[in-house]
Amino acid sequence: MSIRKKLEKYIRVYKIFFTAYWKSRLIYKTDFFLGVTSQSINLVFNLAFLTLIFTQVESLQGWTFHEMLLLAGFSGLILNLHHIFGFGLYSLGETYIIEGRLDRYLVRPLNPLFQVYANYISDDNVSKLLVNIGVISYAVFHIETTILTLTNLLYAVLAMASGVMILASIFLAFSSTAFWTARSKAVFWLFFEVSNFRKYPYSIFSTPIQLFLISIIPIAFASFFPVTFFLGRDEWFIWQMLSLIIGPFFYLISYGIWKIGIRNYSSTGS
Amino acid sequence: MGLLSSVIFLILFYFVWFAIDQSGTIEGGFEQVIAYLVAGQIVSNIAFVETEKFMGERVRRGTIVNELKRPLSLMTQTYFHEMAWMLFNFLTKAVPIAIVGVFFFGIDMPNLINGLFFLFSVFLAFNVVFLFAYSTSMLVFWTKVDWSIRMMRSTAQSLFSGVLFPLYLLPDTLNTVFNLLPFQVMVDAPIQIFIMSATGTEIYEILLKQFIWIIILYGLAYLAWKKARAKLTVQGG
């Protein structure tokens, strides 16, 4: 089969998965609406914390309130974009390996990873995404330097694409541990805790933490470095450029881990 | 929040407050903020119990009839279920965090009197959290889902109680508002005893305020349960 035909087939299958997901989701309307509301409230409360910090200082190591809103908003946007389509991996151990669903995926003539992705849409993140777009717009409007330039927009698109791949690579690597342990949810606590670091300027952390944020959980490439580009901070130039190309690189490494995992996989036999 | 989660949380906010300290002046100083945040982790790991999941599982599966058959009220049964968790968290999380706090963040422990009053105040805080969570978890009887309710409650709880932000640093008007909410006695109140900013009769005032909230929230929880009991539908069997 040619690559084009293959791609068309995958898009067609994804659409079917997508509609099936929404149909099953909207049966439980209360759950859906409560989930959407609570996630949005959660995000607004998190931002409220930022306003409390700025009752203490004018700027945090040279970062104003609105600049930090942009940082929280833009990195949040990348996170939401990834989570909408990629969050299924979070329960790889619990939902797919232990319950034996992965066995079904392995015998189908489709990439098993694709099926795990296609099986789950994180709709809560759609509402968060909208809130984050609002946050970014508010921040862009209030920051004195002009953010809305053609270069910045072009950079933003590329940085988002690369950033989503960085998050996907983190998720893929973390969840692949389930091939050995049959559990994946538990290892994600590290990611969820560390992902809060993305909302603060990278420069406030000590060197070991900075190294951690560009290697094991390389979230700085999907938050801090791109945002310094929008704000015209040239001292981070190399990192800003690296942020655009490093996503696919990390994803390839993670896909390698996934491949090794799936080769070692033996069914739990349920 | 587990032990390691608390440690990562403290590392993050150590650097955030260090940066704030360098960019301006913090009332009471940097060390006091760190002591406050460490104490906040100790208190919240002990007192922050969650009853929504307990209730949600039983309501969805209909097994809540088992609890209702017993000669003890549902509230009593839930209370002791959560108390067991509280004691477990005290030993496995709060004590290690206190040790980490002393050795790695260099905080001072309170003197013996404040230490004992602190433990008592944390116990009262546990009661406040329990009654509050019990009231909100009655909503599960209508919604049948628990995680979104739990999430909304716990987000509000961490922002207003002092876990995330030392309440003494708030601007005056905000401080007044925060002090009128039940969340203040969940975390901020015991912390004041821990960091020795409350001594003597101030301690009694704090404990009295906690007692008053326990009485109010007990009334609320009781009313909520009355409403919920009338609503109860057992699904399946």
Side-chain angles (χ1 to χ4, degrees):
Chain A
M1 222 187 305
S2 73
I3 291 180
R4 192 165 151 254
K5 273 223 165 122
K6 220 174 167 178
L7 201 67
E8 277 172 0
K9 181 179 127 194
Y10 272 96
I11 291 173
R12 204 174 62 242
V13 175
Y14 194 85
K15 277 183 187 159
I16 296 168
F17 268 97
F18 191 78
T19 14
Y21 175 83
W22 281 101
K23 278 180 186 165
S24 70
R25 188 75 173 97
L26 288 171
I27 293 172
Y28 305 100
K29 289 198 178 62
T30 342
D31 185 22
F32 175 73
F33 286 112
L34 275 174
V36 164
T37 327
S38 66
Q39 291 277 9
S40 313
I41 291 178
N42 193 9
L43 201 136
V44 172
F45 273 43
N46 276 321
L47 293 174
F49 172 70
L50 212 56
T51 59
L52 288 183
I53 282 190
F54 280 89
T55 59
Q56 303 300 307
V57 278
E58 292 283 301
S59 70
L60 191 69
Q61 288 210 344
W63 285 67
T64 65
F65 174 63
H66 293 110
E67 287 171 342
M68 283 196 44
L69 266 188
L70 183 67
L71 177 59
F74 186 73
S75 60
L77 185 74
I78 293 178
L79 202 72
N80 299 147
L81 270 178
H82 166 265
H83 285 5
I84 291 173
F85 303 103
F87 203 76
L89 279 171
Y90 168 64
S91 60
L92 179 75
E94 284 80 355
T95 313
Y96 297 94
I97 293 179
I98 290 184
E99 288 185 12
R101 271 197 221 184
L102 195 68
D103 298 351
R104 250 197 292 157
Y105 289 179
L106 286 170
V107 293
R108 286 180 188 160
L110 288 167
N111 184 318
L113 179 59
F114 167 79
Q115 297 178 70
V116 176
Y117 279 140
N119 193 42
Y120 186 76
I121 315 283
S122 178
D123 44 60
D124 303 324
N125 275 285
V126 180
S127 57
K128 279 184 153 179
L129 182 98
L130 296 176
V131 177
N132 272 323
I133 291 174
V135 170
I136 295 170
S137 318
Y138 178 84
V140 165
F141 186 75
H142 282 87
I143 293 172
E144 277 164 26
T145 47
T146 325
I147 306 282
L148 278 176
T149 60
L150 197 62
T151 341
N152 274 352
L153 282 177
L154 190 69
Y155 182 90
V157 173
L158 294 173
M160 270 155 64
S162 174
V164 168
M165 293 197 90
I166 285 167
L167 283 156
S169 70
I170 299 170
F171 265 63
L172 191 55
F174 273 50
S175 64
S176 293
T177 58
F179 286 118
W180 290 274
T181 61
R183 295 271 186 287
S184 56
K185 284 184 181 175
V187 293
F188 273 96
W189 71 265
L190 182 67
F191 167 76
F192 290 127
E193 290 300 325
V194 173
S195 70
N196 285 324
F197 286 56
R198 73 183 159 82
K199 287 179 260 179
Y200 303 93
Y202 179 73
S203 42
I204 70 170
F205 300 116
S206 64
T207 319
I209 295 177
Q210 291 186 340
L211 285 175
F212 189 81
L213 294 176
I214 54 171
S215 58
I216 298 171
I217 299 186
I219 201 155
F221 293 111
S223 56
F224 179 79
F225 302 135
V227 173
T228 57
F229 184 88
F230 304 138
L231 299 172
R233 301 187 182 204
D234 298 332
E235 68 268 31
W236 301 96
F237 182 75
I238 295 165
W239 296 99
Q240 290 160 359
M241 293 303 117
L242 207 55
S243 296
L244 297 183
I245 49 165
I246 207 151
F249 171 73
F250 273 117
Y251 195 79
L252 274 178
I253 298 176
S254 291
Y255 194 66
I257 302 175
W258 162 273
K259 278 278 193 196
I260 297 170
I262 214 156
R263 213 177 295 138
N264 282 315
Y265 167 75
S266 61
S267 172
T268 50
S270 44
Chain B
M1 269 200 278
L3 171 61
L4 282 166
S5 298
S6 287
V7 173
I8 295 179
F9 172 92
L10 288 172
I11 291 173
L12 170 60
F13 285 100
Y14 179 89
F15 286 107
V16 170
W17 283 100
F18 189 73
I20 294 173
D21 188 42
Q22 287 187 325
S23 315
T25 43
I26 310 170
E27 183 199 324
F30 171 67
E31 276 81 19
Q32 196 177 0
V33 174
I34 297 304
Y36 189 101
L37 292 175
V38 173
Q41 288 303 305
I42 295 173
V43 177
S44 61
N45 271 293
I46 303 171
F48 278 16
V49 288
E50 296 180 335
T51 59
E52 286 91 349
K53 206 175 168 200
F54 178 88
M55 213 63 77
E57 273 173 9
R58 283 161 178 76
V59 169
R60 266 198 310 279
R61 293 190 186 149
T63 56
I64 191 131
V65 291
N66 295 332
E67 272 76 23
L68 297 177
K69 275 189 295 198
R70 293 179 188 144
L72 279 174
S73 72
L74 181 64
M75 199 196 281
T76 319
Q77 293 177 52
T78 321
Y79 181 76
F80 284 103
H81 179 265
E82 298 307 326
M83 190 188 269
W85 274 111
M86 176 198 71
L87 291 171
F88 178 75
N89 288 336
F90 173 74
L91 292 173
T92 59
K93 291 174 188 165
V95 173
I97 292 167
I99 295 170
V100 169
V102 170
F103 286 100
F104 294 95
F105 293 96
I107 63 156
D108 293 325
M109 289 304 259
N111 64 23
L112 186 67
I113 296 170
N114 272 47
L116 291 174
F117 275 118
F118 168 71
L119 289 178
F120 184 60
S121 177
V122 173
F123 176 69
L124 293 182
F126 156 76
N127 283 277
V128 177
V129 176
F130 169 78
L131 290 168
F132 187 74
Y134 188 82
S135 307
T136 55
S137 61
M138 285 300 122
L139 291 170
V140 172
F141 284 87
W142 282 269
T143 61
K144 308 280 186 269
V145 286
D146 51 82
W147 73 269
S148 39
I149 295 172
R150 186 182 76 225
M151 194 163 144
M152 276 191 266
R153 178 184 56 78
S154 59
T155 333
Q157 210 167 276
S158 12
L159 185 72
F160 294 122
S161 66
V163 174
L164 283 177
F165 191 87
L167 297 193
Y168 67 87
L169 289 176
L170 289 172
D172 285 339
T173 41
L174 270 180
N175 202 352
T176 322
V177 178
F178 277 51
N179 269 308
L180 287 172
L181 298 171
F183 305 109
Q184 187 265 332
V185 297
M186 292 174 179
V187 177
D188 180 67
I191 293 178
Q192 286 185 25
I193 304 176
F194 187 91
I195 62 172
M196 308 281 292
S197 73
T199 45
T201 49
E202 287 164 346
I203 294 180
Y204 297 119
E205 280 166 28
I206 287 172
L207 299 179
L208 181 70
K209 198 178 169 191
Q210 289 185 302
F211 266 118
I212 293 171
W213 271 114
I214 288 174
I215 293 163
I216 296 172
L217 289 172
Y218 180 80
L220 180 70
Y222 185 76
L223 286 176
W225 163 234
K226 279 216 142 181
K227 285 268 178 204
R229 193 172 53 184
K231 171 72 195 169
L232 173 64
T233 41
V234 172
Q235 313 198 50

